[in-house]
Amino acid sequence: MAKTAASILLSLLLTATANAKTSSTVSVAVLGQGGRTVTRRTTEASASSSLTTADAVAGYWTALHEFPRDMPKGNLSTTARRKALSKIKEVHQVQEPGMSLVPDMFERPDGGVAVFLMAGDEKQAEALEAQPNIAKLNQERVGSFKLMEFEKVSDLVDVFPSKAMRESGDELEDVVNNSMVGVKIQVDDVKDVDERVGKIISELQAREGTYVMHLVVDHGVEDRRRRLSAEENDRNLEEENGNEGEGEDNDDDNFKSMYDIQYFNVILWTALGLITILFYTIGLMINMPLMADTLLFGESAKMVAG
């Protein structure tokens, strides 16, 4: 048992170390002919090396851009409209503290584009980052975010409504008035993807104004999660098979989980408490003192005398 626990702990440590190196990244670059400073690095020394969540990155986007919102349409009741607006507020939140980048207090960009590169695995993601256009963008970026292990890039994609998602980088004419759109690219050929990213960079760089490009590279977190889940299931099956093979004298069949123990104690003490209250109430009712009702006795005496 101790050997199994040690092997599981070692695998978790190795997995955490590997995921710390292979977390999905979000690179932020300022493009265009405007030359304005619209986002700044923070002064915290730990912010640049810290990991963040997909919700935190979405909060940074909403603070920097006029984020697209699916506003409720039609003749809705007050309750239905309030529920629809509450869902929008849950998704579009303010930026979390302690991040490596923050929007400028006085300047706002003219638009933003989030490019999602959905790599199949870590090798493909590394090959992507080695391509010339992507490598140059990473060198000239203002800063970057590194997502925590098992944070899914698909959660960032889901933040965008369908009307704000593009299938290619050729549909960016409506990126005006600090609006933000998303471009999702499934990686099959890294060179082809690098060329498409280069076209988006060139188009934004040639525009009048200041535009922010958010390059999100998925390092195959969901594939790793499925693989680790399968490995954990295999370990559980091996432990169950090993316990069954130890013989009929094994007491593991009588093992109770913590949930079973807690549930049993809650039911037991609740029942004992209710029974105690019941008997105490019955005892009070039996031993209740009987006192003569003077008012009733006086009225009955008057009636008899009359």
Side-chain angles (χ1 to χ4, degrees):
M1 191 71 178
K3 184 178 180 181
T4 304
S7 62
I8 293 175
L9 180 60
L10 180 60
S11 64
L12 290 175
L13 289 174
L14 293 175
T15 302
T17 304
N19 287 336
K21 296 180 180 179
T22 60
S23 300
S24 300
T25 57
V26 182
S27 299
V28 180
V30 178
L31 305 174
Q33 302 298 319
R36 292 181 288 116
T37 301
V38 295
T39 183
R40 298 178 180 274
R41 290 178 179 269
T42 59
T43 57
E44 296 184 12
S46 60
S48 59
S49 59
S50 62
L51 301 177
T52 187
T53 63
D55 288 338
V57 175
Y60 168 73
W61 288 350
T62 58
L64 182 62
H65 300 285
E66 294 294 331
F67 208 78
R69 302 167 184 262
D70 278 335
M71 300 301 293
K73 299 179 181 179
N75 296 324
L76 300 178
S77 63
T78 304
T79 303
R81 186 172 293 275
R82 187 182 299 113
K83 289 182 179 180
L85 290 174
S86 65
K87 292 181 179 179
I88 294 175
K89 293 179 180 179
E90 289 177 0
V91 174
H92 305 282
Q93 56 186 5
V94 297
Q95 183 180 0
E96 296 183 5
M99 299 184 68
S100 59
L101 290 174
V102 293
D104 187 80
M105 295 182 61
F106 306 102
E107 297 287 348
R108 283 291 181 266
D110 296 298
V113 179
V115 181
F116 300 94
L117 305 182
M118 312 302 290
D121 52 29
E122 180 59 28
K123 292 182 179 179
Q124 199 172 49
E126 291 178 353
L128 266 178
E129 293 177 346
Q131 296 302 309
N133 291 319
I134 297 177
K136 183 179 179 181
L137 181 72
N138 287 332
Q139 291 177 357
E140 299 176 353
R141 66 190 180 188
V142 178
S144 64
F145 303 110
K146 183 177 290 186
L147 298 183
M148 297 176 63
E149 56 178 320
F150 297 149
E151 281 288 322
K152 298 184 294 182
V153 172
S154 58
D155 291 339
L156 287 175
V157 177
D158 294 339
V159 171
F160 286 83
S162 57
K163 65 180 182 180
M165 288 299 298
R166 304 290 184 269
E167 297 181 357
S168 65
D170 300 331
E171 306 170 354
L172 303 178
E173 294 82 5
D174 56 345
V175 182
V176 293
N177 299 326
N178 198 16
S179 62
M180 186 177 184
V181 299
V183 180
K184 183 178 179 180
I185 302 176
Q186 192 66 39
V187 179
D188 295 322
D189 184 1
V190 293
K191 293 184 178 180
D192 178 65
V193 171
D194 184 65
E195 291 179 359
R196 295 171 66 179
V197 172
K199 290 181 180 179
I200 298 175
I201 296 174
S202 300
E203 180 178 349
L204 295 178
Q205 188 65 38
R207 288 189 177 187
E208 295 291 337
T210 303
Y211 295 85
V212 181
M213 180 173 176
H214 310 267
L215 184 65
V216 185
V217 180
D218 183 12
H219 285 239
V221 173
E222 295 185 35
D223 293 336
R224 290 202 306 274
R225 178 181 293 190
R226 286 192 292 267
R227 184 173 65 253
L228 291 174
S229 178
E231 292 176 358
E232 184 178 358
N233 292 334
D234 293 340
R235 284 197 299 268
N236 292 335
L237 289 176
E238 290 177 0
E239 291 180 3
E240 291 177 2
N241 294 333
N243 292 333
E244 291 177 358
E246 290 179 1
E248 296 181 356
D249 296 333
N250 193 351
D251 295 331
D252 288 346
D253 294 338
N254 297 324
F255 175 77
K256 300 295 183 183
S257 66
M258 182 58 67
Y259 173 79
D260 295 333
I261 296 173
Q262 293 174 347
Y263 183 77
F264 174 78
N265 278 277
V266 169
I267 298 299
L268 173 64
W269 290 106
T270 302
L272 290 177
L274 292 175
I275 292 173
T276 303
I277 294 173
L278 175 64
F279 279 100
Y280 179 71
T281 306
I282 293 175
L284 291 177
M285 185 176 64
I286 293 174
N287 298 320
M288 182 174 58
L290 300 177
M291 301 175 63
D293 191 341
T294 56
L295 178 63
L296 182 60
F297 179 77
E299 292 294 332
S300 60
K302 288 181 180 179
M303 293 175 64
V304 172

